[in-house]
Amino acid sequence: MPSQHPHSPFRTVKGLRYASTTTGDLHLDLYVPDCPAPALRPVVLYLHGGGWLTGSRTDHPDRPAGLARRGIAVASADYRFAHEAAYPAQLHDVRQAVRWLRREGPSHGIGNGPIGVWGASAGAHIAALLALTTTDETDPESTVQALVGYFGVYDLTARADSIRPDPSRPIPDELLKTQWPAHLPQPPSPRLRQALLAGTNEENLTEDHLRTLSPVTYAHAASPPTLLLHGTGDAVTSPQQSSRFATAIRSAGGTARSLLLDGANHEDPAFEEPEVIGAVAEFFNDNLCTDLHPGQISVASPHTPRLPRLTEADLDDAQHTLRRAITSGPRSTGPQHFPLQDENGALNGPFGLMLHTPDLGAPLQELGSAIRYRATLNDRTREIAILTVAAATSSEFETYAHERVGRAAGLTEAELTALRTGTFTSTDPSEAAAYAACRRLLLDDTPWSDTEYDATQQLLGNNQLLELTVLVGYYRTLAQLMNVFDVGAP
């Protein structure tokens, strides 16, 4: 749905107290469009960045102003910093802000319908926690119905060590000039900031703390519609944080997409450009406007595939031959854990891409069939390996498909979550060795030492180590194909 009022006048109401805490009052600023039907006007809570230790609701005013010019009311709110109060204080604060908007908003010309949340950097992290951990069952007055994140960090666990930002990119001047709390090291390290948020010290900060602080932990099928924007030139937070978080939400059954801004850095002016603010406004309009379907929230329109989905009527002889090879044999006679084709007969996932180039697709599918059905790896180990690749490459389809296959192979929900978040462990030495080998292949391209090869070979044997090495390369190729051509879960 296009933005309705790209140049609407708006008024601001500043310094409204929305909550009182043990460390002082919290305030928000309103940006209220001067347009009719306030009851139907979308309302968005905006949360600023600042590494959980600094920043203000007055930072980057062009963002809320840009939305207000497009007919969307915005409340830009402060929240407590981590050195003042540890998490979940920040979550409590922003829930209070949502309640305030529902309770007091009408007196300021704001409707009391659906509310979206929008955050930047640390604010995106808090916005995501609000969106995913607050439900109608637990706290109906604090729920939000749509989420937008700008260059956020959504996975704080050790898994995120593999997706660090490009060290060659310059740190933006705005961040270099940040005024951190005086009693802290200048600048405080990311781990210190995480420890302060967790309410502990760096030495005692554990993966359990970080998992609790990570929005990706809470992805679920009822997650509100989500749009994540990130610059490919971000020097502070890897853009893979956004793409992987979107994948986690989709894999759980929710609706999410990530939008990459070519070359944009952290807190880049590109995020305030009219076309970017327009995309945010369009997303919120699509998912918050109550006049679209009374009593319901609309969902975003499906995107156009980059390559056409080929049905049987579209195929030449070589493509027909390849399609029969894909859909026959063990893929068709064994258990069907996920749909191989859609209602029109077009193949899902990488198989639809293979049909476009049958000379390459035929040997590619044959290699996949050999890995899947003729290798010596047991079912659990094979699915552990495939899901490790899926997690490392943010492959939505492989996560979707092989979590289902993995359940049938005996993987528990806790194990599936651990594979998704890079924290898998096993008491079976061969499983643990296979997982470690896959991670090594995916995250470190340096040659193997004799010591690590010997240790792995003793646990797995040469045949299984060969199979795992080929499997990682094969599924990484499929993930690359689907990421380039934007193929997701069916």
Side-chain angles (χ1 to χ4, degrees):
M1 171 177 164
S3 302
Q4 293 293 318
H5 305 283
H7 303 294
S8 292
F10 66 93
R11 57 188 172 85
T12 58
V13 185
K14 296 188 175 183
L16 295 169
R17 181 173 61 85
Y18 76 83
S20 295
T21 73
T22 55
T23 60
D25 292 342
L26 295 172
H27 298 86
L28 55 77
D29 297 341
L30 294 180
Y31 297 73
V32 185
D34 291 334
C35 56
L40 301 178
R41 181 186 300 137
V43 181
V44 170
L45 173 67
Y46 177 76
L47 304 175
H48 63 82
W52 307 297
L53 296 177
T54 186
S56 166
R57 68 181 187 276
T58 62
D59 294 345
H60 295 277
D62 286 347
R63 292 174 191 166
L67 240 59
R69 291 189 185 97
R70 289 162 172 80
I72 298 176
V74 182
S76 182
D78 287 330
Y79 51 85
R80 281 175 285 178
F81 297 134
H83 63 286
E84 299 171 330
Y87 181 83
Q90 296 73 26
L91 184 57
H92 295 330
D93 294 344
V94 297
R95 284 174 174 167
Q96 284 277 73
V98 175
R99 294 188 196 108
W100 186 94
L101 285 171
R102 290 210 159 96
R103 184 180 67 250
E104 305 292 339
S107 66
H108 295 280
I110 293 175
N112 59 357
I115 293 176
V117 64
W118 176 24
S121 195
H125 167 265
I126 296 168
L129 287 169
L130 169 67
L132 270 63
T133 65
T134 312
T135 67
D136 285 335
E137 289 73 27
T138 61
D139 191 352
E141 292 301 309
S142 302
T143 57
V144 292
Q145 285 70 50
L147 164 66
V148 171
Y150 271 11
F151 39 85
V153 56
Y154 307 107
D155 186 356
L156 280 65
T157 67
R159 175 176 180 262
D161 290 344
S162 66
I163 52 172
R164 293 178 179 175
D166 183 351
S168 68
R169 300 292 302 183
I171 302 296
D173 286 343
E174 176 181 339
L175 274 66
L176 292 174
K177 296 175 182 176
T178 297
Q179 297 295 310
W180 300 102
H183 67 284
L184 297 176
Q186 303 292 313
S189 69
R191 187 166 180 84
L192 173 58
R193 290 187 280 113
Q194 292 169 358
L196 289 168
L197 189 64
T200 187
N201 54 46
E202 292 179 77
E203 292 74 21
N204 293 328
L205 185 64
T206 67
E207 281 294 290
D208 284 341
H209 287 124
L210 297 174
R211 195 173 298 112
T212 298
L213 295 173
S214 297
V216 70
T217 302
Y218 306 101
H220 57 89
S223 303
T226 298
L227 174 65
L228 305 172
L229 296 92
H230 218 121
T232 62
D234 196 309
V236 178
T237 305
S238 168
Q240 289 188 62
Q241 282 280 351
S242 290
S243 60
R244 287 188 178 184
F245 185 38
T247 296
I249 292 173
R250 292 193 298 264
S251 298
T255 300
R257 65 185 179 100
S258 58
L259 177 63
L260 297 181
L261 276 61
D262 189 31
N265 208 328
H266 207 78
E267 292 287 12
D268 198 286
F271 289 92
E272 289 152 29
E273 289 294 322
E275 60 270 25
V276 177
I277 297 294
V280 173
E282 181 176 359
F283 173 82
F284 280 130
N285 272 319
D286 281 349
N287 291 285
L288 298 179
C289 280
T290 57
D291 59 339
L292 296 177
H293 302 287
Q296 300 179 3
I297 305 300
S298 71
V299 296
S301 301
H303 71 283
T304 302
R306 290 174 178 164
L307 288 178
R309 292 176 61 80
L310 301 175
T311 66
E312 290 194 78
D314 301 318
L315 305 182
D316 60 23
D317 289 345
Q319 291 169 322
H320 270 294
T321 299
L322 175 54
R323 189 183 190 283
R324 284 194 295 270
I326 292 171
T327 58
S328 62
R331 287 195 185 97
S332 61
T333 58
Q336 302 299 301
H337 301 296
F338 59 90
L340 194 60
Q341 53 190 300
D342 66 16
E343 65 275 8
N344 298 315
L347 297 183
N348 290 321
F351 305 112
L353 297 177
M354 293 177 189
L355 291 179
H356 283 272
T357 55
D359 287 345
L360 290 175
L364 194 60
Q365 82 82 25
E366 174 59 25
L367 176 59
S369 181
I371 291 171
R372 182 83 185 276
Y373 301 109
R374 300 199 292 276
T376 62
L377 293 169
N378 64 49
D379 289 349
R380 268 184 61 95
T381 302
R382 183 191 66 244
E383 296 309 313
I384 288 168
I386 295 172
L387 287 168
T388 302
V389 179
T393 57
S394 301
S395 178
E396 178 187 351
F397 179 85
E398 298 301 354
T399 301
Y400 159 83
H402 285 278
E403 283 195 349
R404 287 155 176 77
V405 180
R407 289 187 185 96
L411 293 173
T412 66
E413 293 303 318
E415 289 174 321
L416 292 173
T417 298
L419 286 165
R420 198 182 309 130
T421 57
T423 57
F424 179 80
T425 59
S426 176
T427 56
D428 183 321
S430 63
E431 280 188 0
Y435 177 69
C438 291
R439 296 269 293 179
R440 172 68 166 84
L441 290 165
L442 289 160
L443 305 179
D444 186 350
D445 290 330
T446 60
W448 285 41
S449 69
D450 289 341
T451 300
E452 64 181 330
Y453 168 77
D454 290 342
T456 306
Q457 189 270 343
Q458 287 176 13
L459 286 167
L460 296 177
N462 281 328
N463 282 351
Q464 290 202 353
L465 183 53
L466 277 166
E467 290 175 7
L468 277 175
T469 305
V470 174
L471 179 151
V472 168
Y474 175 76
Y475 279 95
R476 181 151 52 178
T477 297
L478 297 189
Q480 185 169 293
L481 280 168
M482 289 186 284
N483 284 340
V484 168
F485 295 101
D486 196 20
V487 175

